[in-house]
Amino acid sequence: MAVGGGEDKRMAYRENVCFTSGEDRVSAWLYRPPGKSAAPLLVMAHGLAGVRTMRLDSYAERFCAAGYACLVFDYRNFGDSEGRPRQVLDIGMQLADWAAAVAYAHTLDGVDHGRISLWGTSFSGGHVIATAARVPGISAVVAQCPFTDGIASARTLRPLVTARITALAVRDLVAAWMGRSPVMVPVVGRPDEVALMNAPDAYPGFMRLVPEGVTVPNEVAARLGITILAYRPGRLAAKVTCPILFCVCEADSVAPANPTLRYAAKAPRGEVKMYPEGHFAIYVDDAFERVVADQIAFLDKHVKPGGG
């Protein structure tokens, strides 16, 4: 499949590929830039309950036009990947999917296996920090509006909403123990609705990322409402030895900026770019153009041959 390139109208090519994580097939897109030389590669995945069709193709096309191969995957239990029960977000499983994706990238022809980097956004912005701290050989990391601290994000919700999510989470954990279907909670909702994200920009911002004619379930198994509290991947930033770019939204209503900035300051080779937008606005319009340009400049500096 041919996709449009950058201003020079070069053509990049995308193919459907898959790899195994655990016992399940993980579906992915592989973008290859023009040219015959081995290309550096970005491993990419979306945030909380997000799937690759929610504008990750727009990012990958831009990176590919700049000379980067991209492996863009859906987590197990989500999107086009296998895994059941559906919509169950297990943090350990998702981190295993990242490790499996990196391992698969190392088997690909036409890829510079010494220049494999990670790109994550929102919840996966935390995953790429954790993965780079644990998986050797990562060249660089881009963490866009990253989720870095479960407690900080939980504090963005009102206490009554938190209490109701906790009750659903307990019911879901009991259901899992008894072998029953998961108890679900909405991913995004309007203010005061029971949802994992209910800031004023959450529902319209999330839905704006869903392509017309595509259905993305707005729910996950409620157990995440408890397990997410212990997930603080920002603490691992100090162990990320490769260059890492934190793209931080000043008005982030989901992943507060201040904890991320504190963690970023501890990354040995950390860089920070600030944006005045909110958590969901960074994916579209002029904000998207600015953040992608900054990310490509960072990658060109640290990953391309002859860079820093």
Side-chain angles (χ1 to χ4, degrees):
M1 175 183 179
V3 296
E7 293 181 357
D8 61 357
K9 306 301 182 184
R10 295 183 301 171
M11 297 300 289
Y13 292 88
R14 186 181 87 188
E15 59 181 305
N16 295 318
V17 298
C18 63
F19 57 91
T20 300
S21 183
E23 298 181 353
D24 296 311
R25 174 186 54 79
V26 173
S27 295
W29 293 324
L30 176 61
Y31 288 77
R32 293 186 181 273
K36 297 181 179 179
S37 59
L41 180 139
L42 290 172
V43 180
M44 306 173 60
H46 222 307
L48 198 156
V51 293
R52 56 196 165 133
T53 54
M54 294 170 66
R55 283 193 59 79
L56 291 198
D57 50 349
S58 298
Y59 286 90
E61 288 172 17
R62 292 293 294 274
F63 295 140
C64 199
Y68 297 89
C70 298
L71 179 67
V72 190
F73 70 93
D74 283 336
Y75 297 108
R76 284 178 286 172
N77 303 343
F78 291 87
D80 293 325
S81 292
E82 294 180 343
R84 293 189 177 279
R86 304 302 291 174
Q87 301 302 118
V88 172
L89 197 166
D90 182 289
I91 293 170
M93 283 180 59
Q94 292 199 342
L95 291 174
D97 292 347
W98 275 97
V102 171
Y104 175 68
H106 279 282
T107 71
L108 293 170
D109 295 331
V111 166
D112 185 340
H113 299 149
R115 297 179 186 271
I116 292 175
S117 302
L118 311 178
W119 183 98
T121 185
S122 191
F123 205 58
S124 69
H127 287 342
V128 294
I129 297 170
T131 300
R134 295 166 174 167
V135 176
I138 302 300
S139 292
V141 177
V142 174
Q144 176 179 280
C145 56
F147 171 97
T148 56
D149 193 297
I151 293 175
S153 288
R155 287 173 177 163
T156 65
L157 297 172
R158 294 186 178 182
L160 179 59
V161 172
T162 300
R164 294 181 67 181
I165 291 173
T166 301
L168 289 171
V170 171
R171 286 176 52 198
D172 184 39
L173 289 169
V174 172
W177 181 72
M178 297 181 69
R180 296 178 179 174
S181 298
V183 176
M184 298 292 177
V185 63
V187 177
V188 292
R190 296 174 177 85
D192 293 327
E193 290 183 344
V194 176
L196 296 175
M197 297 178 281
N198 69 357
D201 63 333
Y203 186 86
F206 185 92
M207 292 304 172
R208 189 178 181 188
L209 305 183
V210 179
E212 185 176 353
V214 174
T215 299
V216 175
N218 179 24
E219 62 181 12
V220 293
R223 67 197 72 171
L224 180 66
I226 289 178
T227 59
I228 199 172
L229 295 175
Y231 190 43
R232 307 178 80 179
R235 290 183 168 185
L236 294 172
K239 297 182 178 180
V240 176
T241 58
C242 66
I244 176 170
L245 175 63
F246 296 85
C247 297
V248 181
C249 295
E250 296 174 3
D252 202 314
S253 61
V254 173
N258 286 340
T260 295
L261 293 174
R262 289 196 295 270
Y263 291 130
K266 297 180 181 180
R269 301 180 67 186
E271 300 179 22
V272 175
K273 289 284 186 179
M274 300 293 297
Y275 303 89
E277 283 78 19
H279 188 83
F280 296 93
I282 199 71
Y283 297 91
V284 294
D285 302 330
D286 181 61
F288 165 77
E289 297 295 335
R290 285 184 279 113
V291 74
V292 166
D294 288 341
Q295 292 169 2
I296 291 173
F298 168 82
L299 293 167
D300 285 351
K301 175 182 176 182
H302 294 291
V303 177
K304 276 193 173 178

